[in-house]
Amino acid sequence: MTWTEMQPLLRDACLDTLFMVWWSTVYAVVGGLPLGILLVLTDRGSLLQNVVVNKVLGAVVNLGRSLPFIILLVWLIPFSRLVIGTSIGPSAAVVALTIGAIPFFARLVETAVREVDHGLVEAVQSMGGGTWTIVLKVLLPQALPSLVAGLTTTVIALIGYSAMAGAVGGGGLGNLAITYGYMRHETGLMNTTIVLLIVIVTLVQLAGDLVVRSLSRRGGRQSAPVGLRRLRRQAATAPVPAQSVPVRAEPAEAAETP
């Protein structure tokens, strides 16, 4: 197969892969971020302590992570057909990719949020901050570099999952490699597909590392939550109340001697 013949195939396969990875990443963040935060908040000794809910959520996450993706992909074929009306193509693969990525990303979110200094949480609680304030002003901002690193790992995993989806008609570079590279013995196309996957993964990793370093530098300069910094600033600029100084009695003058 010549390069001219490979170009449209590679272009369409790349677009399908980017389509699957993009939408599954969006849905994974929408589902995995609150799930990971709930795993932290409902843990023993946390703000919303609920052991039963925490155990149930943990079991669901562990169940989703324990299944190999290729088995999950085949198992979800009837569900994909029920949801979007088809079990083949990139849109059908997004369903399985999302369900596989949500528990994966949720555990990364849980790990990132648990790394936040508990003293900051206690400081905001002492200021009267509620659960939403602590989550939005402390946990998420302080864990943001780790969250971005976890998201980068999730995206790279989804690129690999999308290649597996090609084995069951999911489209993308994986389907191209199997259909042409393996079944038709097009070695040049197979090698080009591998190079493209390496380039995509490398670019994603570099972009993720760049964002993490930027957030880490900003976090080093701005380590305290906004509310806590405001409280400290107010305390520093508040006028010191005047204190009453006790008046020392003057000693009585000695009586003149006659």
Side-chain angles (χ1 to χ4, degrees):
M1 182 179 291
T2 63
W3 173 249
T4 304
E5 295 173 336
M6 287 192 296
Q7 278 184 333
L9 296 174
L10 292 170
R11 183 187 64 248
D12 295 341
C14 284
L15 292 177
D16 288 344
T17 297
L18 294 176
F19 172 85
M20 290 186 290
V21 172
W22 168 258
W23 285 111
S24 56
T25 300
V26 171
Y27 297 141
V29 172
V30 171
L33 184 62
L35 182 58
I37 293 175
L38 277 176
L39 284 170
V40 177
L41 295 181
T42 57
D43 199 6
R44 195 182 304 274
S46 295
L47 299 173
L48 303 177
Q49 176 178 330
N50 192 319
V51 179
V52 176
V53 173
N54 186 266
K55 295 298 183 183
V56 171
L57 293 178
V60 171
V61 171
N62 291 335
L63 177 64
R65 296 181 61 207
S66 62
L67 293 176
F69 181 73
I70 190 65
I71 297 176
L72 181 66
L73 187 64
V74 176
W75 183 51
L76 289 174
I77 287 178
F79 181 71
S80 301
R81 187 182 298 114
L82 177 65
V83 172
I84 64 174
T86 182
S87 59
I88 60 174
S91 298
V94 169
V95 177
L97 289 170
T98 300
I99 295 177
I102 285 177
F104 181 82
F105 184 61
R107 282 300 185 192
L108 296 178
V109 172
E110 180 189 10
T111 303
V113 173
R114 288 189 187 279
E115 293 176 355
V116 177
D117 186 5
H118 192 66
L120 297 177
V121 177
E122 294 178 347
V124 176
Q125 280 182 308
S126 66
M127 293 159 49
T131 302
W132 278 108
T133 302
I134 292 174
V135 171
L136 297 178
K137 300 295 185 182
V138 180
L139 296 181
L140 289 180
Q142 294 295 310
L144 192 55
S146 298
L147 290 175
V148 174
L151 181 61
T152 304
T153 304
T154 304
V155 172
I156 292 175
L158 284 171
I159 294 173
Y161 290 168
S162 68
M164 295 183 200
V168 293
L173 292 172
N175 181 66
L176 184 66
I178 293 172
T179 304
Y180 289 88
Y182 175 70
M183 295 182 178
R184 300 186 183 183
H185 305 287
E186 295 286 351
T187 307
L189 186 60
M190 173 71 81
N191 294 335
T192 305
T193 302
I194 293 174
V195 171
L196 282 175
L197 288 172
I198 293 174
V199 169
I200 293 173
V201 169
T202 302
L203 291 176
V204 171
Q205 187 66 60
L206 290 175
D209 291 344
L210 181 63
V211 175
V212 169
R213 285 195 296 268
S214 176
L215 292 174
S216 298
R217 287 195 296 267
R218 185 184 306 173
R221 296 191 301 266
Q222 190 175 350
S223 57
V226 175
L228 188 57
R229 294 198 311 274
R230 186 181 299 117
L231 179 65
R232 291 172 177 173
R233 193 181 305 117
Q234 291 175 354
T237 57
V240 180
Q243 297 181 354
S244 56
V245 180
V247 179
R248 187 176 59 182
E250 295 292 338
E253 294 182 359
E256 294 181 355
T257 54

